[in-house]
Amino acid sequence: VQPDGTDGNCVTFVLHDEDHTLGNSLRYMVMKNPDVEFCGYCITHPSESKINFRIQTRGALPAVEPFRKGLNDLMGVCQHVLNTFERSMKEYRAQR
């Protein structure tokens, strides 16, 4: 991840080796933060595997804070889904 920009509350993060899977999910998680004014991403080119992920916050909140929170929240959601799936698989196998 490489932040690009001089203003701390409006930053474009360049995420290498990523695509819409992370971009759209992370955008959703970041936009849940009421201090985020804008969040969006774009794929630079179909032949490149990187995205530009832009966050603009209200006030003095640095954009890196909702970015970190969004990543942590997304990891928590993914862990919950994985735990639920594994628990369901154990229950299914126990019934057979």
Side-chain angles (χ1 to χ4, degrees), residues 24-44:
N24 196 36
S25 302
L26 184 58
R27 185 198 59 78
Y28 174 78
M29 297 305 281
V30 170
M31 282 303 295
K32 291 173 73 173
N33 187 332
D35 293 325
V36 173
E37 188 171 11
F38 173 81
C39 180
Y41 75 96
C42 67
I43 304 291
T44 56

Side-chain angles (χ1 to χ4, degrees), residues 46-90:
S47 67
E48 295 182 60
S49 61
K50 71 177 184 178
I51 61 175
N52 291 334
F53 194 86
R54 187 159 185 86
I55 299 175
Q56 182 174 345
T57 61
R58 294 181 176 87
L61 179 69
V64 72
E65 294 303 317
F67 183 69
R68 281 190 187 127
K69 183 175 180 341
L71 286 170
N72 287 329
D73 292 349
L74 186 57
M75 285 191 322
V77 167
C78 291
Q79 189 61 51
H80 173 73
V81 168
L82 180 61
N83 292 342
T84 303
F85 175 76
E86 288 174 345
R87 186 175 57 246
S88 296
M89 286 301 298
K90 284 181 185 178

